[in-house]
Amino acid sequence: MNYFLYARKSTDVEDKQVLSIEAQLAELRALAKKKGLAISEEFVEKRTAKMPGRPVFNEMVRRIQKGEAQGVVCWKLDRLARNPVDGGQVQWLLQEKVIQHILTHNQSYYSSDNVLMMSVEFGMANQYIRDLSQNTKRGLRAKVAKGEFPGTAPTGYLNDSRKKSIVIDRKKGKIVKEAFELYAQGNSRLEDIGNFLYQRNVRSLQGNRIHKDRIKYILSNPFYYGHFYYSGEIHEGKHPQLINKKLFDKVQEVMVQRGHPQKPRNDPKAFCGLLRCATCGMMITGEYKVKRQKNGNVHEYHYYRCSKKSKLIKCDEPQVRQEDLITEIDNILNTYAMPSPWAKEFGLLMKEDEKKAEQESAEIIEDLRNKVSTISEKIQRLLDVYLAQDIDRETYLKERSKLFSNKKSFEEKIYNLERDAKAWLEPMQEWLNVASSLAEASQSNDLSSKKSSLQKIFGSNPTLHHRRILESVIPPYSALRAARQKIPETEVSLIRVRRAGFEPAKTEVAWFTAKCD
C-alpha cells in the first residue's frame, strides 16, 4: 500500500505551537520508516486550513481518488483540515475506503473504525479556529476602546514591545513632521516629499524611495495628530501626536488643491459597531435610503437594522430610524448621568481622601525607614562581632541572612506604599469624569460622543430588541441609576457615608451600596 506524506504549517496564530515544516518532515519520515510504510510522494503546504481551497491539499486528494495512494501520513488530523468541508471530505474518503489508513504521530485511523472520534477531532479543530477568531476580534475591539492602535506603527513611530505601546521615533519622527510642514507650503509634489524623505534616510522596508501613493497615505493619516482609523471608523488614540490638527488640515487642503477630484466615499454610519441584535446576536448595521415623491420632494432617511447574517436563526427584528435611536440613547445617557452637585461633592471627598492617604502613607513609610536604618545598624554590629571572633561563621551567616531578608521586605513595603498609596484615585477620577459628561453628551449633536458614552455604560456590544436598547449595565452605573431614583439631585449629605476601615474609603461604592441595599 502506498502512502502520501502531508506536512502543513501556516503563519497564522493557531499554528504557533506546531512543529515547523522541517521538523514535521523529519518526524514523519522516521515514523514511516519505523512502521515500514512506502511513501510515494511528499506534499508540503504553507497555508492556513481554516478555509477550503488549499491547492496542495486538493491535488493530493485528487491523486488519492485516482488510486495513486491508499494512505496518508501527517503529524495530526488538524494538519489535514480545520474546516468542515475538507474534514468531511477526508472522512468520506476514509469511510468509502478510498483512503484506507491515516497515520499520525500518536494514532492510526482505518476505514473500519468508528468515525465518531474523527468527527470530534475535526470539530474541535474547526471550533478552535472559530473561537480564536472571535477572541482576537474581541481583544482588538477592547484595545481600540482604550485608545490603543491595534497594528504596526506608521512611519515616524515605533512599536515599544516593552511597554506595549506606540512611541515617536526620535530620528524619523522629526523628519516626518518636517515633511508635513514642507507639503503644507503648497509648492511640493508628492514625489518631492518622497525625495525629501529618501535623502534623510526615511525609506521603505527594502531601502527604496517611498512611493507617492504611500506618501499620500502618510500625509492623510489622522494617526499623526492623535486619531486613528479602525474598521472604517475614526477613534481617539492615546499615542503621542506628531503634529497638530491645524497643520494636518492645512496639508489636506493643499492635497485637494493639487490633486485630482476623488469620488466621495460613503462614510460609515455613526452607530455601526455599537449594537448587537438581541434575537440572533449579529451586529446592527446602518442603511441610507432616499425617497423621491411625485411632487419632487426628496426625503433622506438613516435606518439601523440587524445584518441578518446568522445561518441558524431567522431574525425578524424591525429596523429603527436614526432619529428614534438617538432619542433612545439620549434618554439612557440622562438616566445614568452624574448630577453636578454630586460630582462636586465627590471631588471634594476625593481631595480629602488624597490628603489623608498621603499623611497616613508618610507616617507608615517613615516608620519603615526607621526599621530599615535599625537593621542596617544591626548588620554592621553583627559584622563587628564576627570580626572580633566572638561568634562563629555559621551563626554569623545565619543571622546576617535573616537581617537582609527583613530589610528587603521593609524596602519593598516602602516602594509599594510610595507607588500605590493613591492608586485608587485615578480610576475613581476617570469614572467620575465620564459619569459627569453623560448629560453633556446627550445634549450634543456629536454622534460619536454619544456612541462612546453608551459603550462606557454598557461595555462592548449592547443589544437592540424591538427598537429598544436592552440595558446590561456595568456595576458603578447601575448603582448610580438606583441612587438617582431614590435621592433628589440636590441632596449631597448622604454622599459622605463611609465604610469603616484602614484604607481610604471609596466613597462612591460606600454611598451607592448604602442607598441601593
Side-chain angles (χ1 to χ4, degrees):
M1 186 165 62
N2 292 329
Y3 286 79
F4 284 157
L5 189 152
Y6 182 80
R8 180 189 67 81
K9 181 176 176 66
S10 73
T11 56
D12 290 350
V13 178
E14 76 270 9
D15 277 355
K16 278 190 174 181
Q17 304 301 324
V18 178
L19 291 177
S20 66
I21 293 291
E22 293 75 13
Q24 288 184 55
L25 291 173
E27 292 282 347
L28 295 177
R29 287 166 183 163
L31 178 62
K33 183 177 180 180
K34 179 180 179 182
K35 298 290 185 179
L37 306 181
I39 303 297
S40 59
E41 191 165 341
E42 296 179 352
F43 293 84
V44 175
E45 191 156 44
K46 297 180 180 180
R47 189 165 177 172
T48 180
K50 62 185 177 184
M51 295 292 291
R54 287 170 288 153
V56 177
F57 173 80
N58 290 341
E59 174 65 16
M60 181 182 72
V61 171
R62 185 185 66 81
R63 293 178 61 179
I64 289 175
Q65 290 173 328
K66 288 175 62 178
E68 295 183 23
Q70 296 75 41
V72 178
V73 180
C74 61
W75 180 247
K76 288 181 66 177
L77 278 183
D78 64 6
R79 299 301 87 203
L80 291 176
R82 282 187 180 273
N83 66 82
V85 175
D86 291 340
Q89 187 177 25
V90 171
Q91 290 183 72
W92 178 252
L93 293 176
L94 186 68
Q95 184 174 325
E96 293 298 305
K97 299 183 179 180
V98 178
I99 299 176
Q100 299 178 20
H101 181 207
I102 297 177
L103 177 65
T104 67
H105 76 287
N106 61 350
Q107 193 169 350
S108 288
Y109 303 87
Y110 295 95
S111 302
S112 58
D113 291 344
N114 190 327
V115 298
L116 177 61
M117 292 308 299
M118 179 178 281
S119 299
V120 170
E121 289 194 45
F122 278 131
M124 291 174 62
N126 180 46
Q127 189 61 40
Y128 176 78
I129 290 293
R130 290 167 57 86
D131 292 342
L132 182 65
S133 175
Q134 292 298 322
N135 292 337
T136 301
K137 291 178 181 178
R138 188 183 303 112
L140 291 177
R141 289 197 299 269
K143 193 171 184 180
V144 169
K146 294 189 293 184
E148 300 175 6
F149 180 64
T152 304
T155 305
Y157 287 86
L158 293 172
N159 289 96
D160 189 337
S161 57
R162 184 173 60 86
K163 296 182 178 180
K164 295 184 178 180
S165 61
I166 294 179
V167 297
I168 294 176
D169 189 326
R170 294 183 180 179
K171 295 181 179 179
K172 295 182 179 180
K174 182 179 179 181
I175 299 171
V176 172
K177 182 178 180 181
E178 292 175 357
F180 272 90
E181 295 170 344
L182 177 62
Y183 191 79
Q185 296 174 9
N187 301 319
S188 302
R189 302 172 303 162
L190 295 176
E191 293 85 347
D192 298 331
I193 301 300
N195 292 332
F196 173 84
L197 295 175
Y198 182 80
Q199 293 168 2
R200 287 157 179 78
N201 291 321
V202 179
R203 304 175 181 179
S204 68
L205 294 177
Q206 294 75 27
N208 301 323
R209 184 180 289 101
I210 300 177
H211 192 271
K212 67 175 184 178
D213 291 340
R214 188 65 184 176
I215 296 295
K216 184 177 181 180
Y217 172 79
I218 292 174
L219 296 177
S220 58
N221 190 351
F223 192 94
Y224 292 97
Y225 71 82
H227 291 179
F228 63 88
Y229 275 110
Y230 179 76
S231 294
E233 296 184 46
I234 195 164
H235 300 267
E236 291 183 341
K238 288 186 176 181
H239 59 274
Q241 63 183 66
L242 190 62
I243 61 173
N244 55 47
K245 183 64 164 50
K246 184 178 179 180
L247 175 58
F248 182 83
D249 291 339
K250 178 62 177 176
V251 168
Q252 306 318 300
E253 292 177 7
V254 173
M255 195 175 297
V256 171
Q257 293 170 2
R258 297 187 59 89
H260 300 289
Q262 300 290 322
K263 183 178 179 180
R265 185 182 68 176
N266 291 329
D267 291 330
K269 303 301 180 290
F271 298 121
C272 285
L274 172 65
L275 303 167
R276 282 189 180 275
C277 176
T279 299
C280 64
M282 297 294 105
M283 295 301 298
I284 299 297
T285 186
E287 188 174 0
Y288 172 73
K289 293 183 179 181
V290 178
K291 293 184 179 180
R292 294 178 172 83
Q293 297 180 337
K294 294 181 179 180
N295 59 8
N297 293 337
V298 178
H299 298 277
E300 298 179 351
Y301 300 94
H302 291 276
Y303 290 96
Y304 289 88
R305 60 172 179 79
C306 177
S307 57
K308 301 184 186 297
K309 292 184 177 181
S310 175
K311 297 180 180 179
L312 302 176
I313 301 175
K314 184 179 180 180
C315 183
D316 58 355
E317 285 286 344
Q319 62 185 9
V320 56
R321 289 182 60 177
Q322 180 169 282
E323 294 81 359
D324 298 334
L325 188 60
I326 291 175
T327 301
E328 174 82 1
I329 292 175
D330 289 343
N331 291 336
I332 292 174
L333 295 181
N334 283 321
T335 301
Y336 293 97
M338 170 78 72
S340 55
W342 298 4
K344 183 178 179 181
E345 190 67 17
F346 267 120
L348 295 175
L349 284 173
M350 288 176 63
K351 290 182 180 179
E352 293 177 7
D353 286 343
E354 181 178 7
K355 185 177 180 180
K356 182 178 179 182
E358 288 178 347
Q359 292 175 348
E360 293 177 347
S361 298
E363 293 175 0
I364 298 173
I365 289 172
E366 182 64 25
D367 180 60
L368 291 173
R369 283 176 176 163
N370 290 336
K371 291 180 178 179
V372 170
S373 178
T374 301
I375 291 175
S376 297
E377 294 176 358
K378 289 182 179 180
I379 292 173
Q380 183 59 46
R381 289 199 298 271
L382 180 65
L383 177 60
D384 294 338
V385 172
Y386 172 68
L387 293 176
Q389 298 183 355
D390 292 336
I391 57 175
D392 57 50
R393 178 176 176 78
E394 182 179 352
T395 303
Y396 165 72
L397 293 176
K398 182 178 180 181
E399 294 300 321
R400 184 174 180 271
S401 177
K402 288 182 181 179
L403 292 173
F404 270 106
S405 176
N406 292 337
K407 181 181 178 182
K408 184 63 177 178
S409 297
F410 289 139
E411 287 174 344
E412 286 185 355
K413 289 180 180 179
I414 292 173
Y415 172 77
N416 291 333
L417 280 171
E418 290 177 337
R419 182 191 61 184
D420 300 333
K422 299 183 293 181
W424 68 273
L425 287 171
E426 184 175 345
M428 172 63 184
Q429 183 63 59
E430 182 179 352
W431 175 81
L432 183 60
N433 293 339
V434 172
S436 303
S437 66
L438 295 181
E440 181 181 350
S442 69
Q443 299 170 5
S444 170
N445 294 324
D446 185 358
L447 300 186
S448 62
S449 175
K450 296 179 187 291
K451 176 181 177 179
S452 62
S453 298
L454 196 70
Q455 288 174 323
K456 289 171 183 175
I457 298 175
F458 295 132
S460 60
N461 300 131
T463 55
L464 187 69
H465 183 56
H466 291 312
R467 301 189 179 95
R468 299 295 302 274
I469 298 176
L470 301 183
E471 301 182 19
S472 178
V473 193
I474 297 175
Y477 291 98
S478 59
L480 174 57
R481 177 180 181 178
R484 288 198 59 181
Q485 292 174 345
K486 297 180 181 180
I487 306 173
E489 293 186 5
T490 55
E491 179 61 64
V492 296
S493 60
L494 293 175
I495 294 179
R496 291 186 172 270
V497 175
R498 290 177 175 270
R499 284 180 177 175
F502 174 76
E503 295 182 353
K506 296 187 178 180
T507 312
E508 85 286 7
V509 177
W511 173 49
F512 288 150
T513 302
K515 297 313 299 176
C516 298
D517 286 345

